[in-house]
Amino acid sequence: MSANPQKTPPRIGFVSLGCSKALVDSERVITRLRAEGYDLSPSYEGADAVVVNTCGFLNSAKEESLAVIGEALAANGRVIVTGCLGVEASRIREAHPGVLAVTGPHQYEAVVAEVHKAVPRPHDPFLDLLPPQGVKLTPRHYAYLKISEGCNNACSFCIIPQLRGRLESRPIGPVMREAERLVEAGVKELLVISQDTSAYGLDIGYAKSKWRGEEIETRFLALAEALGSLGVWVRLHYVYPYPHVDRVVELMADGRVLPYLDIPFQHASPSVLKAMRRPAHREKTLARIARWREICPDLAIRSTFIVGFPGETEQDFALLLDWLSEARLARVGCFKYENVDGAAANALPDHVLGAVKEERYDRLMRHQQAISAELLASRVGKTVEVIVDEANGGEAVARSAWDAPEIDGTVYLDGATGLAPGDRVKVKIKEADEYDLWAQQPARPG
């Protein structure tokens, strides 16, 4: 009797929605599934089952997640739901009773177990079928490095602590070993993410962990120092303006970490910040920004703001515009306030009319565009280092140290021959607008 023919590995479709933290969750699940011999399907139709990693923060994001679940059900019929919207399992099942299973955020084992139920796992493959860095959804030359889960802050507009729990830091040893694997696999830029990066290690008493034979404290500064020794770009996201950040800015001035801070200021008015339950003070924050720029003049700060928060007056909004004029942030994103199911801010009085939110959003963006245009114009004529994201013939798309992928600006290169994604090259800036830069032909990559 002949042996059974080798079966085609089962195929799983995967849709990842929401923020970069959710993307890392997706990468972990996919890495586990690939390690077990599952293949990924690029289409619903070619998959044996589909996993949808949802976003559950804003109501608009929830609606998008529900729409994608419906799309996957219509095209495939076998759908497993995970992610932040998973905490509202009844809402998902009411809208889509045909889903196979619902799990919550960062419940990796539960998601994999549900995949096993839906599509039995194949025989264990050889270990070398899985790349050492795991399966990534980002381009090969950059990767997100998640250092913690959850958050200890209690912002009135946010339900992240309810969705993902309180701060839970990963010890620095495992974080650094993951970073090393990524670099060894060809990653040229590490993007550090969490809900509160500057609080890293607080929950575990800054416990020491071993890396390269040494015991190192699980602290934000120690992490930045260690990552800065790997020889790649290190970009820091979701940093709160605590005093100890000054020491990290010194590393930026020394060129060990990118001169870039992503800080969610959210507003500048004291009354609005108080209603938001945000630990910030307008004058102190401006003084700290000034101090950072003394340490590292090339520092770029990106931030996000909410307009139309309940109780926000025209005076509050004018104060925010004045603050932006003084702070001169390099990159700014803006959101119109939206109620989030379960958030304390929903019960606040004096909700702002939608038309007023829209008008304030437009004014803030125009105001910031003028600031951004002036800042970028100051780069014209200067030589800066960029990292290449795309290269096609004589054209390339790159980013400077001021630009995180997908959320910030772009550097467009003309006559860029011999370049490949991940190359870091020096270019001379010849033109700028409110968001992007154009550069002259770079030198050959070293």
Side-chain angles (χ1 to χ4, degrees):
M1 186 173 182
S2 62
N4 292 331
Q6 184 175 359
K7 295 182 179 180
T8 302
R11 308 189 78 191
I12 305 298
F14 212 103
V15 181
S16 186
L17 304 172
C19 64
S20 53
K21 275 87 68 181
L23 186 74
V24 172
D25 292 344
S26 296
E27 291 174 340
R28 289 181 179 175
V29 174
I30 290 172
T31 295
R32 171 71 178 275
L33 293 175
R34 289 287 289 118
E36 294 180 351
Y38 291 89
D39 277 349
L40 293 182
S41 171
S43 67
Y44 292 138
E45 293 77 12
D48 295 295
V50 176
V51 177
V52 178
N53 190 2
T54 59
C55 180
F57 185 33
L58 296 175
N59 286 338
S60 54
K62 294 180 182 183
E63 291 302 323
E64 179 189 9
S65 294
L66 290 172
V68 171
I69 294 168
E71 178 184 277
L73 279 169
N76 183 279
R78 296 168 58 78
V79 176
I80 297 164
V81 179
T82 189
C84 287
L85 187 57
V87 300
E88 299 186 46
S90 59
R91 178 175 180 175
I92 294 170
R93 292 192 180 281
E94 181 179 349
H96 301 296
V99 297
L100 298 178
V102 179
T103 71
H106 54 87
Q107 293 183 358
Y108 316 116
E109 297 296 331
V111 179
V112 172
E114 294 299 338
V115 171
H116 290 166
K117 292 178 187 177
V119 186
R121 60 183 294 186
H123 293 296
D124 289 338
F126 294 108
L127 293 178
D128 60 5
L129 293 181
L130 184 69
Q133 76 274 22
V135 178
K136 295 296 175 185
L137 302 178
T138 49
R140 185 172 182 268
H141 62 284
Y142 69 80
Y144 294 101
L145 182 68
K146 184 156 63 170
I147 62 173
S148 65
E149 298 283 2
C151 182
N152 287 348
N153 296 312
C155 303
S156 63
F157 56 83
C158 183
I159 58 170
I160 292 298
Q162 296 162 242
L163 293 176
R164 291 183 170 264
R166 291 180 61 79
L167 178 67
E168 186 177 336
S169 300
R170 297 174 60 198
I172 195 169
V175 170
M176 287 308 304
R177 286 190 286 275
E178 179 183 348
E180 285 181 309
R181 289 194 299 272
L182 291 168
V183 173
E184 290 169 0
V187 168
K188 306 296 184 183
E189 179 180 7
L190 294 169
L191 299 103
V192 177
I193 57 170
S194 67
Q195 297 296 339
D196 185 353
T197 296
S198 39
Y200 178 58
L202 174 65
D203 57 303
I204 56 175
Y206 308 112
K208 291 185 176 181
S209 182
K210 184 169 288 187
W211 178 60
R212 291 184 174 177
E214 295 184 19
E215 294 286 337
I216 304 174
E217 285 190 323
T218 300
R219 287 183 182 271
F220 180 37
L221 176 61
L223 177 69
E225 289 175 332
L227 291 173
S229 71
L230 298 181
V232 298
W233 275 16
V234 176
R235 191 178 300 276
L236 304 173
H237 288 276
Y238 311 111
V239 177
Y240 279 69
Y242 303 139
H244 65 271
V245 176
D246 293 9
R247 296 285 305 280
V248 176
V249 175
E250 292 175 6
L251 298 180
M252 297 176 181
D254 292 339
R256 297 170 62 184
V257 176
L258 289 180
Y260 178 100
L261 281 176
D262 177 4
I263 303 176
F265 290 120
Q266 307 297 11
H267 214 281
S269 164
S271 61
V272 175
L273 289 170
K274 182 178 179 181
M276 288 180 169
R277 301 179 187 167
R278 298 286 292 175
H281 189 279
R282 177 176 183 270
E283 288 79 11
K284 289 182 180 179
T285 302
L286 287 172
R288 187 158 301 282
I289 290 173
R291 169 63 179 153
W292 289 341
R293 287 179 175 145
E294 289 177 3
I295 299 171
C296 181
D298 202 36
L299 175 67
I301 301 175
R302 114 167 295 278
S303 189
T304 52
F305 296 88
I306 298 173
V307 296
F309 192 80
E312 181 192 58
T313 65
E314 182 61 28
Q315 182 179 3
D316 292 324
F317 181 70
L319 189 64
L320 172 56
L321 295 185
D322 290 342
W323 188 90
L324 285 170
S325 295
E326 292 186 66
R328 296 179 62 76
L329 305 183
R331 304 294 188 187
V332 167
C334 183
F335 298 91
K336 290 165 279 190
Y337 172 79
E338 180 181 322
N339 277 344
V340 175
D341 292 345
N346 300 357
L348 290 173
D350 303 321
H351 279 241
V352 178
L353 294 175
V356 176
K357 295 179 192 177
E358 191 71 40
E359 188 269 342
R360 288 178 182 171
Y361 172 87
D362 290 340
R363 282 166 61 195
L364 186 145
M365 294 308 295
R366 289 196 305 270
H367 186 87
Q368 177 60 33
Q369 282 171 358
I371 296 170
S372 298
E374 186 177 339
L375 289 173
L376 290 180
S378 70
R379 312 291 283 188
V380 174
K382 295 183 178 179
T383 298
V384 301
E385 185 180 44
V386 300
I387 189 167
V388 176
D389 284 335
E390 301 174 24
N392 184 15
E395 298 180 349
V397 178
R399 289 177 291 109
S400 72
W402 283 24
D403 304 308
E406 299 187 354
I407 58 173
D408 292 329
T410 298
V411 182
Y412 295 99
L413 308 181
D414 295 325
T417 58
L419 294 180
D423 284 342
R424 287 165 51 183
V425 294
K426 297 282 190 177
V427 302
K428 188 172 184 180
I429 305 301
K430 62 180 183 179
E431 188 179 345
D433 66 11
E434 298 92 339
Y435 300 109
D436 302 317
L437 298 169
W438 285 260
Q440 294 175 347
Q441 182 175 355
R444 288 187 177 182

